[in-house]
Amino acid sequence: MKSDGEIMEILAAYDLTGSLRATAELTGCSHHTVAKHVAARDAGRPIAEPAARDRVTDPFLPKIEEWVQTSNGRIRADKAHDKLVALGYEGSERSTRRAIAQVKAAWRLGHVRVHRPWITEPGMWLQYDFGDGPRIGGVKTVLFVAWLAWSRFRIVIPLKDRTAPSVFAALDRCFRILGGAPTYVLTDNEKSVTTAHVAGVPVRNQQTLDFARHYGVTVLTCQPADPASKGGVEAAVKLAKADLVPKDTNLRTDYSTFTELEEACEAFMDHVNQREHRITRRKPATMLTEEQPRLHRIPGAAHTVAFGLARTVPENTPMVTFENGQYSVPAHLLGARVFVRAHGTGPGEQIIIVHHGPAGPVEVARHRRTRPGSPAICDEHFPGTRTRIPGDYTVKARTADEAEFLALGEGARTWLIEAAATGAQRMNVKMAEAVTLAKIAGTAAVDRALGTAALHGRFAHGDLASILNATTQRTTTHAANETTSLTQGTSAWAAIGNPAPNHTTTPTSDTTITADTTAEDAR
């Protein structure tokens, strides 16, 4: 195949000689090649374009186009090849695939949906949608994603379900984050928004109309099964799921608590809204400050009708009553007003508690349905408290003597509890004796002896000193070797029948501590 330069030389030589054979001799090629390129130039075809040749699929091309049109461009090449073989086609399956691909490409060009750029107006449109969130403790979560059309400001709020109260609470928080509400809110045709379609016209949910009336917005729905009609929020959902849901592509670890997911959503919003948008070439957070004056104000109180029944948390215990059952709420809500509702049926029925604060309605607790007399309690709602068990007394000194005794250690505390349980007599005297012994034998040794006495139930007078003597390390030790033995000798038998001496014997090096000596020393 000749290059473009060679073809130009052939044409220039032909223009010079006007003869096919003379041109062939000058350029070193066949006169048939010269005739082909000259004919192509005279026909107006581009230089070096291959000549069109008949293909084996050309006789069946009308039938292929018919099949592609009937199947809306979805027919498979292998099925089309089987049909062509039945019609007498003798070509290969590769030729069939090439012909099907070319016809499909032409069909798509004729049926492509043309999108006109949407020129938005500040303060007019807010779109919201949902995405599957990560699992926390085996429970699936939902990502509520809102997209303000003009400024491209994105909001992501994690939810535990997609019920109407949860969606209304998320929208209220969304309006408060934006600093106002737009004119229109666009979403899907869910049951919480659209109950049915009559002749293609959506019938609105009454709760949604009450919510929209409260905030002064108009709720609209897109065309059914047409995500392109709200493509802005669809792209925002895709971006949020790619970043927040743990996957191999983002190396994000699983969330242990719902609070961690909320913090991750906050960090995600700060990141995407402070980054330059590829369309506007401006930061969405900066554009939001320009759009806020076009948003209308929202009521200070949220639309709480769908949140359930109002309850006031007592000032001394964070518990509320709903349908004869008691349920705990966080301790910081003492004296506050909350809303309680039931969600679901059967064994999985849940009680949801919502509190409306400065940032809007927030779910503060979720419990399983409980029966009367068995309150549903979450330990996190009672910080700094512990379950009181009968008999588990808190040892606290009330006098100086008691404080001095308890300062000996944990053994003294255990001795006090066990001695009191057994009804030991004159405990104050025995506690003072222990304090005195600690000054002689050391605090650690007396504390160990008190623990041993408590363990074996020895609370009589003199027991502590006896235990202390038994555990005191002696100054002399006796050991057997090749010259001496530990066997008792017979030298002591010589004293049998002899009168006892009157002089006082000198005590040995082993000192014995008794209650009498300690009392004398104390005096």
Side-chain angles (χ1 to χ4, degrees), residues 411-490:
R413 177 186 177 277
T414 306
W415 183 92
L416 177 61
I417 295 175
E418 296 297 331
T422 59
Q425 301 297 319
R426 303 180 65 188
M427 289 183 56
N428 292 334
V429 176
K430 296 171 184 176
M431 291 166 59
E433 176 187 338
V435 173
T436 304
L437 288 174
K439 296 177 182 179
I440 300 173
T443 301
V446 174
D447 186 58
R448 271 194 311 272
L450 287 170
T452 304
L455 178 63
H456 297 283
R458 296 183 60 181
F459 306 111
H461 180 72
D463 284 350
L464 179 60
S466 177
I467 295 173
L468 190 60
N469 286 329
T471 57
T472 301
Q473 183 178 3
R474 298 184 179 273
T475 57
T476 60
T477 58
H478 301 278
N481 53 38
E482 295 181 358
T483 59
T484 61
S485 174
L486 296 179
T487 305
Q488 185 178 7
T490 60

Side-chain angles (χ1 to χ4, degrees), residues 357-371:
V362 178
E363 181 180 320
V364 295
R366 181 176 290 227
H367 300 279
R368 291 295 184 112
R369 167 77 75 169
T370 185
R371 62 179 183 272

Side-chain angles (χ1 to χ4, degrees), residues 78-107:
D78 57 342
K79 297 300 180 182
H81 181 74
D82 295 340
K83 291 178 176 290
L84 290 176
V85 171
L87 296 177
Y89 174 71
E90 298 179 353
S92 64
E93 186 175 352
R94 180 180 180 183
S95 299
T96 304
R97 291 183 180 278
R98 186 181 293 111
I100 291 292
Q102 292 176 351
V103 174
K104 281 186 177 181
W107 183 88

Side-chain angles (χ1 to χ4, degrees), residues 189-212:
N189 291 271
E190 296 193 350
K191 291 297 183 182
S192 59
V193 180
T194 302
T195 59
H197 283 79
V198 179
V201 179
V203 180
R204 294 285 176 257
N205 189 309
Q206 189 61 43
Q207 282 189 334
T208 301
L209 293 179
D210 296 339
F211 173 85

Side-chain angles (χ1 to χ4, degrees), residues 146-377:
W147 182 75
L148 196 58
W150 186 80
S151 62
R152 270 78 172 180
F153 193 88
R154 281 162 281 193
I155 297 175
V156 181
I157 300 174
L159 302 177
K160 295 183 179 179
D161 54 50
R162 293 171 63 169
T163 57
S166 298
V167 176
F168 293 162
L171 282 173
D172 183 275
R173 290 181 60 189
C174 181
F175 295 156
R176 297 182 192 280
I177 293 173
L178 297 175
T183 304
Y184 300 102
V185 175
L186 181 66
T187 184
D188 281 332
N189 291 271
E190 296 193 350
K191 291 297 183 182
S192 59
V193 180
T194 302
T195 59
H197 283 79
V198 179
V201 179
V203 180
R204 294 285 176 257
N205 189 309
Q206 189 61 43
Q207 282 189 334
T208 301
L209 293 179
D210 296 339
F211 173 85
R213 189 180 304 110
H214 180 81
Y215 292 95
V217 299
T218 301
V219 178
L220 301 178
T221 54
C222 64
Q223 294 294 328
D226 186 16
S229 58
K230 55 179 182 61
V233 72
E234 291 285 345
V237 170
K238 181 179 179 180
L239 181 63
K241 291 174 61 177
D243 189 89
L244 295 172
V245 179
K247 298 179 180 179
D248 295 338
T249 54
N250 56 25
L251 298 180
R252 183 182 287 275
T253 57
D254 294 335
Y255 302 94
S256 58
T257 61
F258 193 76
T259 304
E260 291 185 7
L261 177 58
E262 292 178 326
E263 293 174 352
C265 291
E266 291 285 346
F268 172 77
M269 288 191 294
D270 293 339
H271 175 67
V272 297
N273 292 324
Q274 294 293 338
R275 183 178 59 185
E276 184 181 278
H277 197 275
R278 66 180 182 88
I279 300 297
T280 61
R281 296 300 178 184
R282 298 175 63 189
K283 296 181 179 179
T286 304
M287 297 185 66
L288 178 61
T289 59
E290 301 179 11
E291 189 174 7
Q292 281 178 342
R294 303 294 296 272
L295 302 173
H296 62 264
R297 294 183 59 184
I298 60 175
H303 180 71
T304 57
V305 175
F307 296 152
L309 300 178
R311 292 290 186 269
T312 300
V313 183
E315 296 182 355
N316 57 351
T317 178
M319 301 288 295
V320 294
T321 304
F322 177 74
E323 295 182 355
N324 300 322
Q326 287 185 309
Y327 304 91
S328 66
V329 297
H332 67 271
L333 295 178
L334 291 174
R337 189 185 185 205
V338 296
F339 300 91
V340 189
R341 75 177 191 274
H343 170 60
T345 57
E349 184 179 8
Q350 296 177 325
I351 303 300
I352 302 174
I353 305 175
V354 177
H355 173 252
H356 176 251
V362 178
E363 181 180 320
V364 295
R366 181 176 290 227
H367 300 279
R368 291 295 184 112
R369 167 77 75 169
T370 185
R371 62 179 183 272
S374 299
I377 296 177

